[in-house]
Amino acid sequence: MRLVPLLLALCATASLGFAQVGTSEVLGTVRDQSHSAVPKASVTLTSVETGIYAKTTTDTNGEYDFLNVKVGHYTVMVEAAGFSKATADVSVDVEARQRVDISMQVGVVSDSVTVSGAAAVLDTDNSEHNQVVPTAAVTELPLNGRNYADLALLSTNAVKSPIAVSFSASGTPREGSFNVNGMRSTYNNFMLDGVDNNSYGTSNQGYSSQLVQPSPDSLSEFKVITGTFSAEYGRVGGAVVNAAMKSGANQFHGSAWEFLRNTDLNATGFLFSPSVFVKPTLQRNQFGATIGGPIVQNKLFFFGDYEGYRQLQRYLNFDSIPDATDRQGIFPVAVTNPQTGVTYAANTPIPIQQLNPFAYHALNNLPPTNKSGCSTPGSGALPTSCRTNNDEALLLIRDFSDKYDAKIDGQINDRMAAFLRFSQRKDLQYYAPDLTGPSGGDGNGYIHAIDQDASAGYTWSVTPDSILEAHLSFSHMVAGKEPPYLGGPSLASMFGGFAGLPTTPSLTGGLNTQTITGLTALGRQTSNPQFQNPTLWVPSVSFSKILNKHSLKLGYQYMNIRTEILDTNPFYG
């Protein structure tokens, strides 16, 4: 359990201001053509997509401020007695502090003037060092695997973490892992719609740094903050990755996609099978759809998305295992039993079954070698190279995953808004063992990762210059791995003579790890089975207030983490 008190910030000037976590701020100054302030002007901010609007008035200095603005396109309209009505278009990024200064012209209110270039391109109201990745970049830039977090590498001071790279076909890289400012990837902070989105499994069983992994097509945009971020984020020395999921609008919008990789379309490369000259299989399909629209015009909206991932891959693998003569106890040199002093002549079978029944069964439960010409009895000393890489196989990796999000946004009244979101990802993987049969079973075997998150947010504009915001998030992860032959016969039942070893089906199956110098290890992983299942509750609340030229923001977050762990090895002996 962690208690995380967040953000007590008192700013010296209004220009330092604040935006809500997950939302943005639109502010500016209204002046006439002589650059004098226009007080008590009516300012209306209207969403182009939803038609939802907010109103405020300028103060004695001609300044206005909208504190709770979602990502999207807006129109700013200013009306004042003795002046023509002025309008300006503005695009608001995630957690931006967007300045829109308006210049009024003398006239009557019925006249209308469109102001171009009113939205400031350079952010002079914020000292953050950040990079905004907009919708077009998220959806259109090529992404192998379609993990949006890979685009965080477009930011300065960001490099890919070694644990995000697969150095072998059977590797399990951690999605969303990158190093910023020289810090470890675990020092980054992922947020989605203003709520915590970090994976709190201390091992790599979830294979991602974030709990919810949105499809690129489901995101409006995201921001990577790499320096001088607000105290409200806390806890990190790396980067803050703040993503905003799309919302529905007054018009129905949808999309669908299919990304394909196919063995027939791939080059052979140098990793073909020498025995059969076959290209390793790689079949990948990534498909999905999004849809969003109105439930009640200008009031209530929905958005949903789904993405499926299906991949079958085979990679070339070589093992060095005892050959047929080794398993019979036939060696090209004389062998003496150190316990009995009995000597067995060269090329004479050693009665392994009598001397060591366990070794006999372990050797005879190995698959046959499929590389010929490695041993010739009677030909003298057997070169080590003849046992090297004498078993070849194209091993299967299967990865099937499904993920979806469902979100509802509602405008309760002109001062209150709320949202609800539920997200789930289910990823099931299978890694075929190097060696088949009871004496094999090495590798990760069956990997599962099921992530669920339910989040809610509520904002209340208490007064034109103050706002109350609350969030509640519940998340649960079930992630781990199991050996390929889990639940099979125990060591005691297969070989006999073993006492005190586990016999429960949740642990038995296959041979425990056996190391033979110069050869591939037999049996299964010592760290398998394994799981970490964290459950997380995160309520948070913040209050923001503008006092003349000063800004005050006070907030608190409570984080309750409970993790069920099986991370002790070896359980199986």
Side-chain angles (χ1 to χ4, degrees):
M1 180 174 64
R2 292 174 55 196
L3 288 175
V4 187
L6 281 186
L7 58 127
L8 176 56
L10 183 60
C11 304
T13 64
S15 64
L16 293 178
F18 46 79
Q20 306 307 303
V21 176
T23 57
S24 304
E25 186 178 2
V26 174
L27 73 163
T29 304
V30 179
R31 298 185 177 91
D32 59 22
Q33 290 178 300
S34 66
H35 300 288
S36 299
V38 179
K40 297 183 179 180
S42 174
V43 185
T44 304
L45 180 70
T46 305
S47 169
V48 175
E49 290 88 359
T50 65
I52 295 174
Y53 63 90
K55 288 187 175 184
T56 189
T57 56
T58 58
D59 60 16
T60 55
N61 297 312
E63 296 178 347
Y64 70 92
D65 201 338
F66 293 97
L67 300 178
N68 181 35
V69 182
K70 296 181 180 179
V71 174
H73 302 283
Y74 291 85
T75 298
V76 178
M77 182 177 68
V78 182
E79 297 174 299
F83 294 93
S84 299
K85 180 172 62 178
T87 60
D89 295 329
V90 57
S91 294
V92 180
D93 295 327
V94 59
E95 289 209 340
R97 196 159 193 271
Q98 182 64 61
R99 175 168 287 278
V100 183
D101 292 330
I102 302 293
S103 178
M104 305 289 287
Q105 295 184 12
V106 176
V108 294
V109 177
S110 58
D111 295 335
S112 179
V113 176
T114 301
V115 181
S116 301
V121 177
L122 182 64
D123 186 358
T124 59
D125 295 282
N126 201 322
S127 62
E128 286 180 350
H129 186 195
N130 63 66
Q131 171 78 45
V132 174
V133 183
T135 305
V138 173
T139 56
E140 296 178 12
L141 286 177
L143 286 171
N144 184 14
R146 287 176 53 79
N147 296 317
Y148 86 90
D150 289 345
L151 294 176
L153 298 176
L154 297 173
S155 304
T156 55
N157 301 332
V159 297
K160 203 173 188 71
S161 171
I163 65 173
V165 180
S166 179
F167 293 99
S168 67
S170 60
T172 51
R174 188 175 176 93
E175 184 270 341
S177 295
F178 50 92
N179 304 112
V180 175
N181 301 328
M183 306 296 289
R184 293 186 178 185
S185 59
T186 52
Y187 283 81
N188 297 328
N189 183 14
F190 284 88
M191 302 185 73
L192 179 62
D193 292 331
V195 298
D196 188 274
N197 189 35
N198 295 287
S199 175
Y200 287 96
T202 56
S203 69
N204 196 29
Q205 298 311 309
Y207 300 103
S208 177
S209 295
Q210 51 184 338
L211 181 75
V212 178
Q213 302 168 31
S215 165
D217 292 80
S218 69
L219 290 181
S220 289
E221 61 186 29
F222 71 96
K223 177 192 282 189
V224 182
I225 309 173
T226 56
T228 61
F229 39 76
S230 170
E232 61 190 302
Y233 298 112
R235 96 165 188 72
V236 297
V240 175
V241 181
N242 203 322
M245 186 167 287
K246 289 180 179 178
S247 298
N250 279 330
Q251 302 263 335
F252 286 97
H253 293 282
S255 63
W257 62 89
E258 160 79 19
F259 293 87
L260 169 70
R261 293 185 66 178
N262 189 282
T263 306
D264 294 335
L265 303 177
N266 297 335
T268 301
F270 64 91
L271 290 177
F272 62 85
S273 169
S275 295
V276 294
F277 203 80
V278 174
K279 283 193 297 185
T281 301
L282 179 56
Q283 306 276 118
R284 179 190 294 175
N285 293 81
Q286 248 176 309
F287 50 92
T290 68
I291 186 168
I295 300 175
V296 178
Q297 289 279 336
N298 297 336
K299 273 286 188 180
L300 192 62
F301 310 91
F302 77 93
F303 177 82
D305 70 275
Y306 164 81
E307 182 169 275
Y309 182 92
R310 305 289 186 270
Q311 177 169 291
L312 295 175
Q313 178 183 5
R314 291 186 182 271
Y315 68 97
L316 185 61
N317 182 77
F318 293 96
D319 288 306
S320 303
I321 59 177
D323 59 22
T325 56
D326 293 337
R327 302 176 199 187
Q328 298 173 41
I330 300 175
F331 297 98
V333 295
V335 177
T336 301
N337 187 330
Q339 294 182 338
T340 63
V342 176
T343 298
Y344 301 94
N347 302 314
T348 301
I350 299 173
I352 301 177
Q353 189 170 10
Q354 299 175 15
L355 297 177
N356 192 330
F358 172 78
Y360 174 80
H361 287 289
L363 291 172
N364 281 276
N365 280 319
L366 286 170
T369 59
N370 55 20
K371 305 271 289 187
S372 60
C374 283
S375 62
T376 305
S379 62
L382 186 64
T384 303
S385 59
C386 285
R387 289 191 183 94
T388 302
N389 296 337
N390 60 357
D391 184 72
E392 175 191 328
L394 287 170
L395 301 183
L396 172 67
I397 300 177
R398 181 178 65 242
D399 188 355
F400 289 180
S401 75
D402 299 276
K403 58 185 178 183
Y404 67 87
D405 306 282
K407 184 180 180 182
I408 293 178
D409 293 89
Q411 189 74 18
I412 302 172
N413 54 42
D414 59 351
R415 296 168 60 187
M416 297 182 186
F419 79 87
L420 294 171
R421 176 177 52 79
F422 180 79
S423 302
Q424 176 172 293
R425 176 182 72 109
K426 183 177 182 180
D427 189 9
L428 302 178
Q429 303 177 30
Y430 170 70
Y431 291 78
D434 290 4
L435 302 171
T436 58
S439 293
D442 190 18
N444 287 318
Y446 294 94
I447 292 178
H448 62 274
I450 303 171
D451 310 331
Q452 294 179 321
D453 177 79
S455 297
Y458 167 80
T459 55
W460 175 27
S461 297
V462 183
T463 64
D465 56 6
S466 65
I467 189 168
L468 177 70
E469 184 174 21
H471 287 102
L472 176 63
S473 174
F474 169 78
S475 63
H476 181 57
M477 176 188 291
V478 177
K481 60 181 179 178
E482 298 174 348
Y485 306 125
L486 186 70
S490 66
L491 281 173
S493 64
M494 286 193 297
F495 306 117
F498 292 94
L501 292 180
T503 58
T504 60
S506 60
L507 295 176
T508 63
L511 180 69
N512 63 346
T513 304
Q514 302 291 323
T515 302
I516 306 174
T517 302
L519 299 177
T520 300
L522 311 183
R524 70 192 211 188
Q525 285 181 337
T526 58
S527 60
N528 214 341
Q530 182 184 54
F531 64 78
Q532 288 203 5
N533 304 331
T535 299
L536 186 70
W537 285 94
V538 187
S540 63
V541 63
S542 65
F543 179 76
S544 307
K545 176 73 175 176
I546 294 178
L547 297 172
N548 298 321
K549 289 184 175 294
H550 301 278
S551 300
L552 172 69
K553 186 170 185 179
L554 177 68
Y556 184 78
Q557 183 186 73
Y558 172 81
M559 189 174 292
N560 184 312
I561 304 175
R562 296 289 186 270
T563 304
E564 183 184 15
I565 299 177
L566 176 66
D567 208 1
T568 304
N569 58 79
F571 263 118
Y572 198 46

